[in-house]
Amino acid sequence: MANIQFKGIHKSFGSNKIITDFNLEGKEDEFLVLVGPSGCGKSTLLRMIAGLEQIDNGEIFINDQKIAARIF
């Protein structure tokens, strides 16, 4: 397993803000579940981890290695 950390993630599509200041730290051997209503950004978060979606602002780390960053 791996550690994952989101720091200050923001994502918008045009004027529609999908994710605003998302912070989360999941440590090895923990079980995390993303739940929420349709359109709240669950799939968008997974797409950002996979590198399929650019983040607007913030950083994503896996095992303390930065995999995505964009800071304005």
Side-chain angles (χ1 to χ4, degrees), residues 4-10 19-26 32 34 45 57-61:
I4 189 162
Q5 187 174 29
F6 296 90
K7 291 184 179 180
I9 299 296
H10 291 264
I19 299 170
T20 306
D21 197 27
F22 181 77
N23 296 285
L24 175 73
E25 185 174 352
L32 299 174
L34 294 174
L45 273 174
N57 196 6
E59 301 172 308
I60 302 173
F61 296 87

PDB file of all heavy atoms in Angstrom, residues 4-10 19-26 32 34 45 57-61:
ATOM      1  N   ILE A   4      -1.042   8.603   0.741  1.00  0.00           N
ATOM      2  CA  ILE A   4      -1.497   9.607  -0.221  1.00  0.00           C
ATOM      3  C   ILE A   4      -1.854  10.875   0.539  1.00  0.00           C
ATOM      4  O   ILE A   4      -2.366  10.811   1.658  1.00  0.00           O
ATOM      5  CB  ILE A   4      -2.687   9.114  -1.069  1.00  0.00           C
ATOM      6  CG1 ILE A   4      -2.978  10.105  -2.186  1.00  0.00           C
ATOM      7  CG2 ILE A   4      -3.909   8.840  -0.220  1.00  0.00           C
ATOM      8  CD1 ILE A   4      -3.803   9.557  -3.313  1.00  0.00           C
ATOM      9  N   GLN A   5      -1.543  12.012  -0.068  1.00  0.00           N
ATOM     10  CA  GLN A   5      -1.829  13.288   0.589  1.00  0.00           C
ATOM     11  C   GLN A   5      -2.264  14.313  -0.451  1.00  0.00           C
ATOM     12  O   GLN A   5      -1.638  14.463  -1.498  1.00  0.00           O
ATOM     13  CB  GLN A   5      -0.582  13.786   1.306  1.00  0.00           C
ATOM     14  CG  GLN A   5      -0.813  15.006   2.146  1.00  0.00           C
ATOM     15  CD  GLN A   5       0.423  15.370   2.956  1.00  0.00           C
ATOM     16  OE1 GLN A   5       1.542  15.093   2.551  1.00  0.00           O
ATOM     17  NE2 GLN A   5       0.212  15.993   4.077  1.00  0.00           N
ATOM     18  N   PHE A   6      -3.380  14.974  -0.139  1.00  0.00           N
ATOM     19  CA  PHE A   6      -3.882  16.085  -0.944  1.00  0.00           C
ATOM     20  C   PHE A   6      -3.703  17.351  -0.126  1.00  0.00           C
ATOM     21  O   PHE A   6      -4.105  17.397   1.035  1.00  0.00           O
ATOM     22  CB  PHE A   6      -5.378  15.914  -1.241  1.00  0.00           C
ATOM     23  CG  PHE A   6      -5.723  14.720  -2.069  1.00  0.00           C
ATOM     24  CD1 PHE A   6      -6.013  13.508  -1.473  1.00  0.00           C
ATOM     25  CD2 PHE A   6      -5.774  14.815  -3.447  1.00  0.00           C
ATOM     26  CE1 PHE A   6      -6.348  12.404  -2.223  1.00  0.00           C
ATOM     27  CE2 PHE A   6      -6.123  13.713  -4.209  1.00  0.00           C
ATOM     28  CZ  PHE A   6      -6.398  12.503  -3.602  1.00  0.00           C
ATOM     29  N   LYS A   7      -3.123  18.377  -0.723  1.00  0.00           N
ATOM     30  CA  LYS A   7      -2.927  19.654  -0.027  1.00  0.00           C
ATOM     31  C   LYS A   7      -3.537  20.779  -0.849  1.00  0.00           C
ATOM     32  O   LYS A   7      -3.072  21.082  -1.943  1.00  0.00           O
ATOM     33  CB  LYS A   7      -1.439  19.958   0.167  1.00  0.00           C
ATOM     34  CG  LYS A   7      -0.736  19.064   1.149  1.00  0.00           C
ATOM     35  CD  LYS A   7       0.706  19.521   1.320  1.00  0.00           C
ATOM     36  CE  LYS A   7       1.455  18.684   2.321  1.00  0.00           C
ATOM     37  NZ  LYS A   7       2.849  19.141   2.465  1.00  0.00           N
ATOM     38  N   GLY A   8      -4.608  21.379  -0.338  1.00  0.00           N
ATOM     39  CA  GLY A   8      -5.203  22.571  -0.943  1.00  0.00           C
ATOM     40  C   GLY A   8      -5.656  22.394  -2.372  1.00  0.00           C
ATOM     41  O   GLY A   8      -5.472  23.285  -3.194  1.00  0.00           O
ATOM     42  N   ILE A   9      -6.283  21.268  -2.694  1.00  0.00           N
ATOM     43  CA  ILE A   9      -6.703  20.989  -4.069  1.00  0.00           C
ATOM     44  C   ILE A   9      -7.931  21.831  -4.439  1.00  0.00           C
ATOM     45  O   ILE A   9      -8.909  21.882  -3.700  1.00  0.00           O
ATOM     46  CB  ILE A   9      -7.028  19.493  -4.249  1.00  0.00           C
ATOM     47  CG1 ILE A   9      -5.803  18.630  -3.967  1.00  0.00           C
ATOM     48  CG2 ILE A   9      -7.588  19.209  -5.641  1.00  0.00           C
ATOM     49  CD1 ILE A   9      -4.651  18.827  -4.919  1.00  0.00           C
ATOM     50  N   HIS A  10      -7.841  22.483  -5.581  1.00  0.00           N
ATOM     51  CA  HIS A  10      -8.952  23.251  -6.160  1.00  0.00           C
ATOM     52  C   HIS A  10      -9.126  22.793  -7.599  1.00  0.00           C
ATOM     53  O   HIS A  10      -8.151  22.596  -8.318  1.00  0.00           O
ATOM     54  CB  HIS A  10      -8.639  24.750  -6.173  1.00  0.00           C
ATOM     55  CG  HIS A  10      -8.611  25.366  -4.812  1.00  0.00           C
ATOM     56  ND1 HIS A  10      -9.696  26.009  -4.275  1.00  0.00           N
ATOM     57  CD2 HIS A  10      -7.628  25.442  -3.893  1.00  0.00           C
ATOM     58  CE1 HIS A  10      -9.383  26.465  -3.072  1.00  0.00           C
ATOM     59  NE2 HIS A  10      -8.132  26.123  -2.820  1.00  0.00           N
ATOM     60  N   ILE A  19     -14.197  21.328  -6.776  1.00  0.00           N
ATOM     61  CA  ILE A  19     -13.474  21.003  -5.544  1.00  0.00           C
ATOM     62  C   ILE A  19     -12.822  22.284  -5.038  1.00  0.00           C
ATOM     63  O   ILE A  19     -12.132  22.970  -5.783  1.00  0.00           O
ATOM     64  CB  ILE A  19     -12.401  19.931  -5.806  1.00  0.00           C
ATOM     65  CG1 ILE A  19     -13.070  18.639  -6.318  1.00  0.00           C
ATOM     66  CG2 ILE A  19     -11.584  19.652  -4.552  1.00  0.00           C
ATOM     67  CD1 ILE A  19     -12.112  17.605  -6.830  1.00  0.00           C
ATOM     68  N   THR A  20     -13.036  22.587  -3.767  1.00  0.00           N
ATOM     69  CA  THR A  20     -12.500  23.811  -3.174  1.00  0.00           C
ATOM     70  C   THR A  20     -11.737  23.483  -1.910  1.00  0.00           C
ATOM     71  O   THR A  20     -12.307  22.968  -0.951  1.00  0.00           O
ATOM     72  CB  THR A  20     -13.640  24.789  -2.835  1.00  0.00           C
ATOM     73  OG1 THR A  20     -14.417  25.008  -4.003  1.00  0.00           O
ATOM     74  CG2 THR A  20     -13.100  26.121  -2.353  1.00  0.00           C
ATOM     75  N   ASP A  21     -10.435  23.745  -1.904  1.00  0.00           N
ATOM     76  CA  ASP A  21      -9.557  23.575  -0.740  1.00  0.00           C
ATOM     77  C   ASP A  21      -9.712  22.201  -0.093  1.00  0.00           C
ATOM     78  O   ASP A  21     -10.003  22.069   1.086  1.00  0.00           O
ATOM     79  CB  ASP A  21      -9.797  24.688   0.284  1.00  0.00           C
ATOM     80  CG  ASP A  21      -8.641  24.788   1.277  1.00  0.00           C
ATOM     81  OD1 ASP A  21      -7.512  24.420   0.922  1.00  0.00           O
ATOM     82  OD2 ASP A  21      -8.882  25.211   2.420  1.00  0.00           O
ATOM     83  N   PHE A  22      -9.484  21.160  -0.883  1.00  0.00           N
ATOM     84  CA  PHE A  22      -9.579  19.781  -0.391  1.00  0.00           C
ATOM     85  C   PHE A  22      -8.243  19.354   0.181  1.00  0.00           C
ATOM     86  O   PHE A  22      -7.208  19.449  -0.468  1.00  0.00           O
ATOM     87  CB  PHE A  22      -9.981  18.850  -1.545  1.00  0.00           C
ATOM     88  CG  PHE A  22     -10.131  17.414  -1.139  1.00  0.00           C
ATOM     89  CD1 PHE A  22     -11.261  16.997  -0.465  1.00  0.00           C
ATOM     90  CD2 PHE A  22      -9.154  16.488  -1.436  1.00  0.00           C
ATOM     91  CE1 PHE A  22     -11.410  15.661  -0.100  1.00  0.00           C
ATOM     92  CE2 PHE A  22      -9.290  15.165  -1.081  1.00  0.00           C
ATOM     93  CZ  PHE A  22     -10.421  14.746  -0.404  1.00  0.00           C
ATOM     94  N   ASN A  23      -8.274  18.882   1.434  1.00  0.00           N
ATOM     95  CA  ASN A  23      -7.081  18.393   2.124  1.00  0.00           C
ATOM     96  C   ASN A  23      -7.411  17.028   2.707  1.00  0.00           C
ATOM     97  O   ASN A  23      -8.449  16.861   3.344  1.00  0.00           O
ATOM     98  CB  ASN A  23      -6.675  19.336   3.259  1.00  0.00           C
ATOM     99  CG  ASN A  23      -6.274  20.690   2.741  1.00  0.00           C
ATOM    100  OD1 ASN A  23      -5.204  20.861   2.193  1.00  0.00           O
ATOM    101  ND2 ASN A  23      -7.158  21.656   2.883  1.00  0.00           N
ATOM    102  N   LEU A  24      -6.508  16.052   2.492  1.00  0.00           N
ATOM    103  CA  LEU A  24      -6.720  14.711   3.020  1.00  0.00           C
ATOM    104  C   LEU A  24      -5.369  14.017   3.104  1.00  0.00           C
ATOM    105  O   LEU A  24      -4.517  14.181   2.228  1.00  0.00           O
ATOM    106  CB  LEU A  24      -7.637  13.910   2.090  1.00  0.00           C
ATOM    107  CG  LEU A  24      -7.867  12.453   2.451  1.00  0.00           C
ATOM    108  CD1 LEU A  24      -8.782  12.348   3.679  1.00  0.00           C
ATOM    109  CD2 LEU A  24      -8.459  11.697   1.286  1.00  0.00           C
ATOM    110  N   GLU A  25      -5.187  13.237   4.163  1.00  0.00           N
ATOM    111  CA  GLU A  25      -3.989  12.420   4.288  1.00  0.00           C
ATOM    112  C   GLU A  25      -4.423  11.009   4.617  1.00  0.00           C
ATOM    113  O   GLU A  25      -5.108  10.775   5.613  1.00  0.00           O
ATOM    114  CB  GLU A  25      -3.070  12.951   5.383  1.00  0.00           C
ATOM    115  CG  GLU A  25      -1.765  12.202   5.464  1.00  0.00           C
ATOM    116  CD  GLU A  25      -0.792  12.821   6.449  1.00  0.00           C
ATOM    117  OE1 GLU A  25      -1.066  13.918   6.956  1.00  0.00           O
ATOM    118  OE2 GLU A  25       0.244  12.196   6.696  1.00  0.00           O
ATOM    119  N   GLY A  26      -4.068  10.070   3.763  1.00  0.00           N
ATOM    120  CA  GLY A  26      -4.350   8.659   3.985  1.00  0.00           C
ATOM    121  C   GLY A  26      -3.043   7.924   4.143  1.00  0.00           C
ATOM    122  O   GLY A  26      -2.167   8.006   3.287  1.00  0.00           O
ATOM    123  N   LEU A  32      -9.777   4.098   2.925  1.00  0.00           N
ATOM    124  CA  LEU A  32     -10.494   5.349   2.693  1.00  0.00           C
ATOM    125  C   LEU A  32     -11.596   5.129   1.667  1.00  0.00           C
ATOM    126  O   LEU A  32     -11.424   4.403   0.698  1.00  0.00           O
ATOM    127  CB  LEU A  32      -9.545   6.432   2.178  1.00  0.00           C
ATOM    128  CG  LEU A  32      -8.401   6.837   3.094  1.00  0.00           C
ATOM    129  CD1 LEU A  32      -7.475   7.806   2.378  1.00  0.00           C
ATOM    130  CD2 LEU A  32      -8.943   7.466   4.356  1.00  0.00           C
ATOM    131  N   LEU A  34     -14.501   7.418  -0.630  1.00  0.00           N
ATOM    132  CA  LEU A  34     -15.036   8.709  -1.064  1.00  0.00           C
ATOM    133  C   LEU A  34     -16.534   8.544  -1.295  1.00  0.00           C
ATOM    134  O   LEU A  34     -16.948   7.742  -2.130  1.00  0.00           O
ATOM    135  CB  LEU A  34     -14.377   9.168  -2.367  1.00  0.00           C
ATOM    136  CG  LEU A  34     -12.894   9.495  -2.304  1.00  0.00           C
ATOM    137  CD1 LEU A  34     -12.370   9.776  -3.707  1.00  0.00           C
ATOM    138  CD2 LEU A  34     -12.657  10.681  -1.400  1.00  0.00           C
ATOM    139  N   LEU A  45     -11.457  13.702  -8.429  1.00  0.00           N
ATOM    140  CA  LEU A  45     -10.300  13.427  -7.566  1.00  0.00           C
ATOM    141  C   LEU A  45      -9.534  12.206  -8.052  1.00  0.00           C
ATOM    142  O   LEU A  45      -8.300  12.221  -8.130  1.00  0.00           O
ATOM    143  CB  LEU A  45     -10.743  13.201  -6.120  1.00  0.00           C
ATOM    144  CG  LEU A  45     -10.891  14.417  -5.245  1.00  0.00           C
ATOM    145  CD1 LEU A  45     -11.472  14.028  -3.895  1.00  0.00           C
ATOM    146  CD2 LEU A  45      -9.571  15.128  -5.056  1.00  0.00           C
ATOM    147  N   ASN A  57      -5.125  24.140  -8.544  1.00  0.00           N
ATOM    148  CA  ASN A  57      -4.274  24.650  -7.472  1.00  0.00           C
ATOM    149  C   ASN A  57      -4.096  23.548  -6.447  1.00  0.00           C
ATOM    150  O   ASN A  57      -5.015  22.770  -6.199  1.00  0.00           O
ATOM    151  CB  ASN A  57      -4.906  25.878  -6.821  1.00  0.00           C
ATOM    152  CG  ASN A  57      -3.920  26.672  -5.996  1.00  0.00           C
ATOM    153  OD1 ASN A  57      -2.731  26.387  -5.993  1.00  0.00           O
ATOM    154  ND2 ASN A  57      -4.407  27.664  -5.283  1.00  0.00           N
ATOM    155  N   GLY A  58      -2.910  23.448  -5.838  1.00  0.00           N
ATOM    156  CA  GLY A  58      -2.647  22.485  -4.785  1.00  0.00           C
ATOM    157  C   GLY A  58      -1.590  21.477  -5.176  1.00  0.00           C
ATOM    158  O   GLY A  58      -0.912  21.623  -6.198  1.00  0.00           O
ATOM    159  N   GLU A  59      -1.464  20.436  -4.348  1.00  0.00           N
ATOM    160  CA  GLU A  59      -0.449  19.405  -4.554  1.00  0.00           C
ATOM    161  C   GLU A  59      -1.008  18.045  -4.172  1.00  0.00           C
ATOM    162  O   GLU A  59      -1.798  17.932  -3.251  1.00  0.00           O
ATOM    163  CB  GLU A  59       0.777  19.671  -3.680  1.00  0.00           C
ATOM    164  CG  GLU A  59       1.445  21.005  -3.938  1.00  0.00           C
ATOM    165  CD  GLU A  59       2.529  21.305  -2.906  1.00  0.00           C
ATOM    166  OE1 GLU A  59       2.219  21.229  -1.693  1.00  0.00           O
ATOM    167  OE2 GLU A  59       3.645  21.596  -3.321  1.00  0.00           O
ATOM    168  N   ILE A  60      -0.543  17.005  -4.890  1.00  0.00           N
ATOM    169  CA  ILE A  60      -0.882  15.624  -4.564  1.00  0.00           C
ATOM    170  C   ILE A  60       0.426  14.854  -4.407  1.00  0.00           C
ATOM    171  O   ILE A  60       1.311  14.937  -5.261  1.00  0.00           O
ATOM    172  CB  ILE A  60      -1.739  14.970  -5.659  1.00  0.00           C
ATOM    173  CG1 ILE A  60      -3.032  15.755  -5.882  1.00  0.00           C
ATOM    174  CG2 ILE A  60      -2.046  13.513  -5.292  1.00  0.00           C
ATOM    175  CD1 ILE A  60      -3.857  15.261  -7.064  1.00  0.00           C
ATOM    176  N   PHE A  61       0.533  14.113  -3.305  1.00  0.00           N
ATOM    177  CA  PHE A  61       1.714  13.306  -3.017  1.00  0.00           C
ATOM    178  C   PHE A  61       1.309  11.849  -2.856  1.00  0.00           C
ATOM    179  O   PHE A  61       0.290  11.544  -2.245  1.00  0.00           O
ATOM    180  CB  PHE A  61       2.373  13.738  -1.698  1.00  0.00           C
ATOM    181  CG  PHE A  61       2.922  15.127  -1.699  1.00  0.00           C
ATOM    182  CD1 PHE A  61       2.117  16.204  -1.368  1.00  0.00           C
ATOM    183  CD2 PHE A  61       4.244  15.359  -2.011  1.00  0.00           C
ATOM    184  CE1 PHE A  61       2.610  17.489  -1.346  1.00  0.00           C
ATOM    185  CE2 PHE A  61       4.752  16.647  -1.997  1.00  0.00           C
ATOM    186  CZ  PHE A  61       3.936  17.717  -1.669  1.00  0.00           C
TER     187      PHE A  61
END
